[in-house]
Amino acid sequence: MSAPAYYEWRLGAALLLAQLQATLARLDIGTTGNACVRLYTTARPEEMGVSPAPWLEIPLARPAGMIAEGLLVLQPQSVAGTMVLTSGVPRWAELVAADGAVLAEGGVTAEGVGGCFEVAGGTVPDGEVAPVFYAGGLVTLTGSALG
């Protein structure tokens, strides 16, 4: 094992925990609603926060998550899922604070595939990593965690 390069940071567990706690607190800042995950079926834009209208919005609970085993695990407001109004395949998503600030974005995959945001409730076609959802179905946020 070699020593880290001079330009590499190593972060201690206490700092990593503080960052997760700060992120969790930041998610819940705002009085107009809850933090949410916005799903998009479009191509991901070059610039973060410059987004089209979302395909679906999954409201998060308050608090928006919990810290477990070094991860901030997002908690949807409804464990049953969010109703799909228009059929589609989610390709990417934004993590949005209660005050509307976009805090992070990442790819969407089916549960267990390893995307930044994992969802369940649809069917995954052969050769795809994200499920297809049909109007009237439910999208469930399953394996979304920040570390």
Side-chain angles (χ1 to χ4, degrees):
M1 185 157 91
S2 62
Y6 67 92
Y7 52 84
E8 255 182 290
W9 285 90
R10 280 201 275 192
L11 305 179
L15 179 58
L16 294 173
L17 177 60
Q19 289 175 330
L20 293 176
Q21 290 168 331
T23 302
L24 181 56
R26 179 62 183 92
L27 277 166
D28 289 328
I29 290 175
T31 57
T32 58
N34 287 23
C36 68
V37 173
R38 291 182 185 150
L39 300 174
Y40 298 89
T41 59
T42 61
R44 198 165 163 184
E46 295 283 324
E47 189 177 330
M48 190 170 117
V50 179
S51 313
W55 169 70
L56 185 84
E57 193 169 284
I58 301 172
L60 298 176
R62 254 190 206 259
M66 61 181 240
I67 298 170
E69 299 179 21
L71 297 172
L72 169 54
V73 181
L74 300 177
Q75 296 183 137
Q77 190 175 45
S78 170
V79 293
T82 302
M83 176 75 70
V84 176
L85 300 178
T86 306
S87 300
V89 179
R91 300 293 181 186
W92 64 283
E94 293 175 323
L95 179 59
V96 182
D99 66 359
V102 176
L103 302 183
E105 67 175 32
V108 176
T109 64
E111 182 176 22
V113 176
C116 299
F117 297 92
E118 293 185 354
V119 293
T123 56
V124 182
D126 288 341
E128 286 285 336
V129 295
V132 175
F133 292 92
Y134 297 99
L138 295 173
V139 173
T140 305
L141 186 64
T142 56
S144 300
L146 297 169

